[in-house]
Amino acid sequence: MFIEQVYKYQHDFWRYLIGVIAVVFGIIIGQIPLTIVLLKEAGFEVMNMTETDMMQALDSNLFLFLMLLTYAVGLGFLFFIVKKLHEQPLIALTTSRKKIDWSRFWFAFGLVAIFIILTTVGDYISNPDDFLWNFKLKPFLILLVISVVLIPVQTSFEEYFFRGYLMQGIGVMVKNRWVPLVVSSVIFGGLHFFNPEVTKLGNTIMIYYIGTGFMLGIMALMDEGLELSLGFHAANNLLTALIVTADWTAFQTHSILKDVSEPSAGWDVLIPVLVVYPIYLIIFAKKYHWNNWKERLFGKAERPELLNVSEES
């Protein structure tokens, strides 16, 4: 199974500690190009800049490219650590299946893409005054290339690190499934605390980020792999970057539309977590015949031979 298979590889606590430090170091290394460009444009004032200030100091396409480059470097460090320090193949970080099931990735990607497109079109038709037409061909084509190439890298880093590396590492340490689900989800959501959306909407938006972490973690545990969460996350960020931007979001892009409405952290935060996400989980559960939810989410994560002995007794 997705967590239990890690027992076949090098899974000592100190290896995961070094691994996390190495990945954080990789992220810092990846930020060097962005820092150099910002220093050139804004001098040492960059030290006092918020993320919004940084985005406004550069062309949005350039900022997006440099920001996403950070995750590409981080992903490279993560894959290196997994292969060399843990002697674990990439497929074992991705799935418990014998090979990566790309049909799962594309199903999740398509489902989320269709939902985002339909809801955005519906919102635009219902509230046209909330949007400005932001489309400019050349900047949009550059955005399209950057987004298609690098946004899946960014989302893959987050999935492989939080739902893969941390979930597997914590799972074999505590020998259960619910603790890695909770810890990885809270850390994932908590790291979004510094996003511009939190400044604009307040701490209530953290319900959405942490709730998203829980949903992606549940998908990984129930499906015994990352394929669904990889597709879900890639579609969400990619379509968001291409279709709608706003002055207060983490992705300020040359998108098709610009949202100029005054946002609020009310039902807009709760509906995705309490209504939309459960619907996604029901769809995935029906399609992939998920069962035994209690065991998969709250069961033990012991060595496979120990699990077999326990089942026989």
Side-chain angles (χ1 to χ4, degrees):
M1 293 183 285
F2 184 57
I3 292 178
E4 288 80 355
Q5 66 184 337
V6 178
Y7 284 107
K8 296 186 293 185
Y9 312 108
Q10 302 296 331
H11 57 276
D12 310 270
F13 171 76
W14 66 265
R15 294 178 191 272
Y16 280 97
L17 182 60
I18 291 176
V20 170
I21 293 173
V23 171
V24 172
F25 179 72
I27 290 291
I28 294 172
I29 295 297
Q31 291 176 341
I32 290 176
L34 175 60
T35 303
I36 291 173
V37 173
L38 285 170
L39 283 172
K40 183 178 179 181
E41 293 295 324
F44 285 98
E45 293 180 5
V46 69
M47 302 300 180
N48 299 317
M49 281 185 169
T50 64
E51 185 174 343
T52 301
D53 294 332
M54 293 179 186
M55 286 187 283
Q56 294 173 349
L58 302 176
D59 173 75
S60 64
N61 279 336
L62 176 59
F63 179 84
L64 182 66
F65 171 77
L66 294 172
M67 181 187 70
L68 295 176
L69 187 63
T70 298
Y71 296 96
V73 177
L75 186 63
F77 269 71
L78 177 59
F79 285 173
F80 179 82
I81 286 295
V82 170
K83 181 178 180 180
K84 298 298 183 181
L85 187 61
H86 296 276
E87 299 177 9
Q88 178 180 349
L90 177 59
I91 189 170
L93 185 68
T94 308
T95 184
S96 60
R97 287 168 273 275
K98 293 182 179 180
K99 61 180 182 179
I100 297 173
D101 187 350
W102 289 107
S103 67
R104 277 173 152 82
F105 173 92
W106 288 115
F107 178 77
F109 186 98
L111 183 65
V112 175
I114 291 171
F115 176 80
I116 290 175
I117 291 171
L118 290 179
T119 53
T120 303
V121 170
D123 195 13
Y124 180 76
I125 293 173
S126 302
N127 306 286
D129 293 339
D130 289 347
F131 298 91
L132 291 178
W133 189 254
N134 194 52
F135 180 77
K136 295 178 183 178
L137 181 59
K138 184 176 178 181
F140 179 80
L141 291 178
I142 296 172
L143 168 66
L144 180 63
V145 172
I146 295 171
S147 299
V148 169
V149 173
L150 288 179
I151 285 182
V153 173
Q154 175 244 332
T155 55
S156 294
F157 168 77
E158 294 185 358
E159 291 309 308
Y160 274 113
F161 186 64
F162 291 103
R163 258 65 65 181
Y165 193 69
L166 288 186
M167 188 171 284
Q168 288 182 339
I170 296 171
V172 296
M173 289 177 208
V174 300
K175 295 180 173 54
N176 65 46
R177 290 173 157 241
W178 70 268
V179 170
L181 172 61
V182 172
V183 173
S184 63
S185 301
V186 171
I187 294 175
F188 170 79
L191 289 177
H192 289 78
F193 182 76
F194 302 100
N195 280 19
E197 292 93 334
V198 179
T199 302
K200 181 69 176 181
L201 300 175
N203 294 340
T204 306
I205 191 67
M206 295 304 296
I207 296 173
Y208 170 77
Y209 290 127
I210 295 175
T212 301
F214 270 101
M215 187 202 60
L216 293 168
I218 291 171
M219 287 162 56
L221 289 178
M222 290 302 303
D223 204 52
E224 300 291 357
L226 299 182
E227 293 98 332
L228 292 177
S229 60
L230 284 167
F232 185 103
H233 205 160
N236 182 77
N237 286 26
L238 179 61
L239 271 294
T240 301
L242 293 176
I243 296 178
V244 183
T245 190
D247 289 336
W248 45 269
T249 60
F251 278 178
Q252 294 184 23
T253 65
H254 290 288
S255 58
I256 297 173
L257 298 172
K258 184 174 183 178
D259 186 345
V260 293
S261 65
E262 186 62 28
S264 61
W267 287 108
D268 292 342
V269 172
L270 297 178
I271 288 177
V273 176
L274 300 180
V275 179
V276 178
Y277 288 174
I279 291 174
Y280 279 132
L281 291 176
I282 291 171
I283 292 173
F284 292 137
K286 293 291 185 181
K287 180 171 177 60
Y288 297 110
H289 309 290
W290 292 350
N291 52 41
N292 202 7
W293 287 68
K294 182 178 179 181
E295 179 63 27
R296 293 195 184 192
L297 297 181
F298 301 99
K300 296 178 180 180
E302 297 178 330
R303 290 181 182 274
E305 59 267 26
L306 294 178
L307 288 173
N308 292 336
V309 170
S310 176
E311 290 172 359
E312 291 173 2
S313 62

